[in-house]
Amino acid sequence: MNQVQGDPTPQPERLRQTPSWLITQSATIAHRLVGEALGAVGAKRYHYALLSALEQFGPTSQAELGRRCSIDRSDVVATVNELVEQKYVERAQDPGNRRQNIITLTRNGSCRLNDLDRVLADTQNQLLDGLSETQRNNLVEALGSLLDHQSSH
Amino acid sequence: MNQVQGDPTPQPERLRQTPSWLITQSATIAHRLVGEALGAVGAKRYHYALLSALEQFGPTSQAELGRRCSIDRSDVVATVNELVEQKYVERAQDPGNRRQNIITLTRNGSCRLNDLDRVLADTQNQLLDGLSETQRNNLVEALGSLLDHQSSH
DNA sequence: CTCATCTCAGGGCGACTGAGATAT
DNA sequence: CATATCTCAGTCTCCCTGAGATGA
């Protein structure tokens, strides 16, 4: 029967004050929102990441794609397979270095990226709905620093 | 052979400017750091969460623990099993409501929580190493708002 | 009958590891 | 020889669902 009022199952103070917990909880929410939004159009997070990299940097090997997007080599293989099947990218062996595959964005893939841009813009607004402009900027700035610093070990 | 200079595999702009991507990337790093630190002393993230809730709110049913810590009912069962086995909590049927189990923190469990507090404090410093005090406060504040707003739908 | 709770079994995804084949 | 790439197979953790049993 609970209390009459004033105890809407708050979270433990320890967790609320632990940055790593705040980050992973937020990530779970972000993950769900993005997954649902992309899933509704038949895409996944990794699809968007690879298409973004190809659009910005041009044809790229799979290993390089993995480095740029922080995606594991195994997952790059699987994701490229999916994107090839959907005709959004093409895979070709590099004649100058036959170890590697060069992945190229198709015109279809460019359009796809633009579509996903719109889907994601909506999702970001949903995710940050309660935050002021200042809070949004602070968040992006702080997490950017965190990633920069951590990636340089 | 790459360029002579100035191209240390940067990330795509689109990703760097997408809050959900920044959050999930940071979460992956946080997850790894916390997992390794807790794993080194035989603990898991869920262990710390449940112990925190029990310390702050006293004996609690499993369903309530799940609500307070945002842990799924199935995972609460598994985690309580582990904590019972390690003698950090005790499980007893509520005589007033025989549907539910009341979980109680043992003296051992209290000590364990203090130990984990120290482990986690170190980890938070590692995680936020490159950030100024202002950035850290901004981050905690922004993510707190995000979680508050999202949890109220 | 309905609702809440506890429990188990298992699916799905993301992050990751190991090993083999091939080429530099 | 060592190194780098691509690929497959498979593990592990977390998040979540479904369903059954019990009791309010």
Side-chain angles (χ1 to χ4, degrees), chain B residues 82-148:
Chain B
E82 293 165 3
L83 291 174
V84 165
E85 195 174 357
Q86 296 173 309
K87 311 280 189 197
Y88 295 140
V89 307
E90 281 165 0
R91 172 157 30 201
Q93 196 180 50
D94 183 356
N97 183 346
R98 282 181 298 173
R99 280 175 308 182
Q100 56 187 17
N101 295 329
I102 298 298
I103 311 302
T104 309
L105 193 62
T106 65
R107 292 190 64 242
N108 251 343
S110 259
C111 297
R112 176 64 158 177
L113 179 58
N114 289 332
D115 291 344
L116 298 185
D117 273 338
R118 275 179 238 111
V119 171
L120 275 184
D122 279 354
T123 312
Q124 302 307 308
N125 279 330
Q126 250 183 287
L127 179 64
L128 303 178
D129 191 24
L131 304 200
S132 69
E133 203 57 40
T134 305
Q135 283 177 314
R136 296 181 187 208
N137 292 336
N138 286 343
L139 181 63
V140 170
E141 200 260 342
L143 290 178
S145 292
L146 191 157
L147 289 178
D148 286 340

Side-chain angles (χ1 to χ4, degrees), chain A residues 12 14-15 21, chain B residues 44-84 88-89 91 103-105 109 113 116:
Chain A
R14 274 185 171 78
L15 301 184
W21 189 83
Chain B
K44 299 179 185 176
R45 286 174 62 229
Y46 284 171
H47 293 197
Y48 183 75
L50 293 193
L51 294 177
S52 295
L54 290 169
E55 199 278 337
Q56 180 170 348
F57 302 113
T60 312
S61 77
Q62 296 187 179
E64 180 90 3
L65 283 175
R67 273 178 238 118
R68 288 200 185 277
C69 303
S70 308
I71 298 179
D72 189 82
R73 57 203 151 92
S74 288
D75 298 319
V76 173
V77 173
T79 308
V80 169
N81 285 343
E82 293 165 3
L83 291 174
V84 165
Y88 295 140
V89 307
R91 172 157 30 201
I103 311 302
T104 309
L105 193 62
L113 179 58
L116 298 185

Side-chain angles (χ1 to χ4, degrees), chain A:
Chain A
M1 43 173 199
N2 285 336
Q3 277 84 350
V4 184
Q5 265 279 8
D7 189 356
T9 39
Q11 295 143 346
E13 277 299 315
R14 274 185 171 78
L15 301 184
R16 284 296 301 211
Q17 292 171 357
T18 303
S20 65
W21 189 83
L22 294 171
I23 292 175
T24 52
Q25 285 300 112
S26 301
T28 299
I29 292 171
H31 201 272
R32 182 165 44 227
L33 284 175
V34 172
E36 285 170 0
L38 290 181
V41 296
K44 299 181 184 176
R45 286 174 61 230
Y46 283 172
H47 294 195
Y48 183 75
L50 292 194
L51 294 178
S52 295
L54 290 170
E55 199 278 337
Q56 181 169 347
F57 303 112
T60 312
S61 76
Q62 296 186 181
E64 180 91 3
L65 283 175
R67 273 178 237 118
R68 288 201 186 278
C69 302
S70 307
I71 298 179
D72 188 83
R73 58 203 151 89
S74 288
D75 298 320
V76 173
V77 173
T79 308
V80 169
N81 285 343
E82 292 166 4
L83 291 173
V84 165
E85 194 174 357
Q86 296 173 306
K87 312 278 189 198
Y88 295 140
V89 307
E90 281 166 358
R91 172 156 33 197
Q93 197 181 51
D94 183 355
N97 183 345
R98 282 180 299 173
R99 277 175 311 183
Q100 56 186 17
N101 296 329
I102 299 296
I103 311 302
T104 308
L105 194 61
T106 65
R107 291 189 65 242
N108 251 344
S110 259
C111 296
R112 176 64 157 178
L113 179 58
N114 289 332
D115 291 343
L116 298 185
D117 274 338
R118 275 180 239 111
V119 171
L120 274 185
D122 280 355
T123 311
Q124 302 308 306
N125 279 330
Q126 250 183 286
L127 179 64
L128 303 178
D129 191 23
L131 305 199
S132 69
E133 203 58 40
T134 307
Q135 284 178 313
R136 297 179 187 210
N137 291 336
N138 286 343
L139 181 63
V140 170
E141 201 260 340
L143 290 178
S145 293
L146 190 157
L147 290 179
D148 286 341
H149 190 269
Q150 293 289 332
S151 67
S152 68
H153 290 204

